[in-house]
Amino acid sequence: MSHHFKRHHAYSKGYRPRRHRGRLRIGRLILLILVFAAIISAIVFGILFLIKAGPFVRDDASSSVPAVNSAAEYDAPMQTADSSAVPAAVDATQPAAFGLTSEIEQDGNIVTTFTRLKEIFFPAPNSYANVRGITTADGNDYRDSRSFGGFEAGGGHLETLWRQERPSSAAVQPIAVSWDADMRQMMNLYPDKASREDLVEILSCGADGTLSFTDLADGSATRDPISLGFTPGGALSLDPRGYPLLYIGGNAENACMNIYSLITGELLYKYGGEKDSFALLDSERGFSCSPLVSGDTDTLIWPGGNGILYTMNLNSDFDRAAGTVSLNPDTPVKYRYTATGGADSASPASFSITGLSAWRNYAFITDTGGYIQCIDINTMQPVYVQKLGAGIVSSPLIEEAADGIYLYSGSKSANGNASVYKLKGLSGEIIWQRDLACGAEGGFLSTPVSGRGDLDGMIFCMAAQADGDNAVLLALTSDTGEIKWEQKTGRPSVFSPAAAYTSSGTGYLLEAGGGGAMLLAGNSGEVLGTLDALNGADCPAIVCNTVAVLNGTGVLIK
């Protein structure tokens, strides 16, 4: 009975059952907390895994991409023409020999003479820009380089380093720049990018009119994109003085010169849009050629598709200490011309200007009529004229030597053939002409590339074939134009390759176009590596350190 009483007493007090129920509640609560913690941890670690961050971060792309100064750059020896060298026409290249007449407009009025108050004198190509990078189409005023930084070819293997998702890319060469520390801090860069001392920023355009800013190392954005509202007509240009100014030419729909601030991203200046009353062409507009800037004189030089060569004093003001930039350009001084080709019965015609290079105080322009002109930019008068076999759609390459300068240019197809030429830059006389059979829409449609280092004495150019046919990359001897080697790309392409050099001067070529890329030994044309299915490969490639950059894709060379 006593035993029964004890059991009943314990039960009546409810002591042990309540204690077990409390422990059960606490245990369930702890278990629930652990489950929630596990779920949250799984979600966080899953996100980190997907974005390759935190403990799942792969080797930082910047650790596999050499910093700007991590490898020695090739210091190519340069020859300089005597200071007394001055372009002058011979009988065969006199403007009158081609029926060329020109006019100048100043302050809205046609004038017979013009003298520039601030005399322009373009420097050698390695002194064109005060900022490190590839700042304009084909690199500089001679249009002779699309690479910078320390380059090593490794085993010649190509692999995709990063790829951006974008609707499509414009066929416009990207540009690259390594900003100084104070410039990074004043710009609208993301904080983590502004603090990166080895940052190389890539500027490129999509066909939807979006200007993107990209980190060379990993393809991530460096700042917010700019919605241009138009597709650029040609390559971008940075101000060579290191000013935070970006020059973008519009296509036929925009038909404007546009200048943007890279401090704020705002449009500072826009010129054009409507038909220029000084233009002789009614239907052709836009700015397909990348402009040049004479930094010492603060002068912008920009050819137009309407057949006008524009020059304007920018009146720019960059206060580096305050972090501000502004400009107030003068009314452009303009140059226009007509030509008959020298035929007595021909009517004067105007043409779209498609190319611009510069040497000292001379501008060399090309056009769709096949003309190359040398113009004294300080007087806006033509010095000499030469006519190639067909229209020209790229800037001439300038090569300087002790005995003067030389020009290389190619033409579009005419009657199933296209040609590349070497000219005497001081007179316009043709030294040699190399012909190649190609389709009706083919030809030499991009600026040739000059060899340096162990590629000295060689010129490289791309011969585009008929629509959809494989292109042919040619290596020519610069003295005679003989073909040293040729390599079929296996796909359509119109762009000349980018040449890059190791510190010892061994040259390589990176060719891209038609959705693919290949690396070649420059001396032999041997294909060392290929990469297919590339987004954005239909534009001229640039090479920064050991990374080839297309619009939307970074390709690692290793």
Side-chain angles (χ1 to χ4, degrees):
M1 178 151 177
S2 62
H3 177 68
H4 176 74
F5 174 77
K6 289 178 180 177
R7 290 178 59 200
H8 177 70
H9 179 268
Y11 181 77
S12 64
K13 293 291 185 180
Y15 176 73
R16 286 179 181 167
R18 265 197 301 270
R19 183 173 62 188
H20 287 309
R21 285 197 296 271
R23 288 177 178 174
L24 182 59
R25 291 191 190 100
I26 294 172
R28 286 177 176 173
L29 180 59
I30 293 172
L31 180 62
L32 188 61
I33 292 172
L34 291 174
V35 169
F36 273 108
I39 292 173
I40 292 172
S41 297
I43 292 173
V44 171
F45 277 84
I47 293 173
L48 292 174
F49 175 81
L50 289 174
I51 66 174
K52 298 294 184 287
F56 300 106
V57 67
R58 63 185 178 184
D59 291 338
D60 187 355
S62 62
S63 66
S64 62
V65 181
V68 174
N69 295 312
S70 63
E73 294 186 52
Y74 175 58
D75 187 12
M78 295 193 62
Q79 297 188 59
T80 303
D82 189 88
S83 59
S84 63
V86 176
V90 296
D91 289 345
T93 61
Q94 291 284 347
F98 297 94
L100 187 140
T101 59
S102 62
E103 292 180 303
I104 305 167
E105 182 183 272
Q106 182 180 17
D107 295 326
N109 299 309
I110 294 179
V111 297
T112 56
T113 61
F114 170 78
T115 301
R116 197 172 298 277
L117 296 179
K118 300 178 185 176
E119 290 195 348
I120 291 174
F121 191 93
F122 277 96
N126 58 353
S127 300
Y128 173 70
N130 293 332
V131 59
R132 287 179 50 78
I134 302 167
T135 60
T136 187
D138 296 297
N140 51 53
D141 45 354
Y142 286 26
R143 308 296 192 186
D144 71 351
S145 177
R146 294 208 312 269
S147 66
F148 91 108
F151 176 80
E152 295 295 338
H157 179 65
L158 302 180
E159 68 176 41
T160 301
L161 178 64
W162 47 262
R163 181 174 295 178
Q164 298 172 326
E165 295 300 327
R166 56 173 65 177
S168 60
S169 296
V172 172
Q173 176 203 298
I175 56 178
V177 59
S178 173
W179 299 110
D180 291 339
D182 63 330
M183 295 292 292
R184 295 196 307 272
Q185 296 302 320
M186 76 176 67
M187 292 179 176
N188 58 347
L189 293 165
Y190 298 146
D192 61 321
K193 303 300 183 183
S195 63
R196 280 268 309 282
E197 297 222 354
D198 63 346
L199 176 70
V200 176
E201 189 174 37
I202 306 297
L203 285 68
S204 62
C205 284
D208 61 349
T210 299
L211 174 64
S212 298
F213 302 86
T214 305
D215 189 336
L216 173 70
D218 57 14
S220 61
T222 56
R223 61 177 97 186
D224 290 343
I226 297 175
S227 179
L228 302 175
F230 61 90
T231 302
L236 317 173
S237 276
L238 288 170
D239 194 290
R241 296 167 290 186
Y243 289 13
L245 295 172
L246 177 66
Y247 306 88
I248 308 177
N251 58 9
E253 296 175 358
N254 175 270
C256 291
M257 307 178 206
N258 304 275
I259 307 177
Y260 285 82
S261 164
L262 289 179
I263 295 177
T264 63
E266 65 180 314
L267 178 64
L268 296 180
Y269 179 76
K270 181 177 181 178
Y271 181 89
E274 301 297 328
K275 182 183 182 300
D276 193 312
S277 60
F278 191 59
L280 298 174
L281 293 175
D282 291 327
S283 59
E284 299 296 330
R285 296 190 299 163
F287 294 85
S288 64
C289 181
S290 184
L292 294 173
V293 175
S294 167
D296 289 343
T297 63
D298 197 30
T299 305
L300 175 68
I301 303 173
W302 210 330
N306 58 5
I308 296 175
L309 178 65
Y310 295 87
T311 70
M312 65 175 75
N313 185 11
L314 292 170
N315 296 310
S316 60
D317 180 25
F318 174 41
D319 188 331
R320 195 158 186 151
T324 59
V325 66
S326 63
L327 45 82
N328 183 28
D330 291 340
T331 301
V333 175
K334 309 173 188 178
Y335 170 89
R336 73 180 182 188
Y337 61 96
T338 61
T340 65
D344 293 336
S345 60
S347 299
S350 296
F351 307 94
S352 293
I353 305 176
T354 54
L356 167 69
S357 304
W359 176 76
R360 298 182 181 175
N361 56 301
Y362 299 94
F364 300 88
I365 63 172
T366 53
D367 64 37
T368 54
Y371 292 97
I372 296 180
Q373 293 183 59
C374 171
I375 300 169
D376 186 334
I377 206 69
N378 288 329
T379 63
M380 301 294 276
Q381 294 292 336
V383 177
Y384 68 72
V385 184
Q386 183 57 268
K387 191 177 190 305
L388 307 189
I392 309 169
V393 293
S394 61
S395 296
L397 165 70
I398 297 178
E399 178 185 65
E400 187 164 11
D403 59 349
I405 60 170
Y406 299 92
L407 307 179
Y408 298 87
S409 187
S411 66
K412 296 174 65 176
S413 173
N415 301 318
N417 289 284
S419 304
V420 61
Y421 301 79
K422 179 178 182 178
L423 289 75
K424 292 182 180 179
L426 296 181
S427 67
E429 297 169 277
I430 294 175
I431 297 174
W432 53 254
Q433 173 181 342
R434 173 59 54 189
D435 303 324
L436 190 75
C438 60
E441 298 301 317
F444 296 95
L445 308 180
S446 56
T447 300
V449 176
S450 58
R452 300 170 184 165
D454 71 340
L455 306 185
D456 187 37
M458 300 176 69
I459 296 293
F460 306 95
C461 48
M462 183 67 74
Q465 302 299 302
D467 186 27
D469 290 346
N470 296 337
V472 180
L473 177 58
L474 298 176
L476 310 175
T477 58
S478 61
D479 55 351
T480 64
E482 296 300 315
I483 297 177
K484 183 172 182 179
W485 57 258
E486 59 182 272
Q487 182 65 251
K488 294 183 177 180
T489 63
R491 49 192 155 67
S493 181
V494 300
F495 306 111
S496 295
Y501 301 87
T502 66
S503 58
S504 62
T506 302
Y508 296 83
L509 304 176
L510 191 287
E511 179 277 328
M518 64 180 179
L519 181 71
L520 304 94
N523 230 329
S524 64
E526 176 188 1
V527 177
L528 304 176
T530 61
L531 191 61
D532 297 320
L534 288 177
N535 171 44
D538 290 319
C539 71
I542 62 175
V543 177
C544 308
N545 305 322
T546 57
V547 179
V549 181
L550 316 169
N551 270 342
T553 305
V555 176
L556 183 63
I557 303 168
K558 66 177 188 177

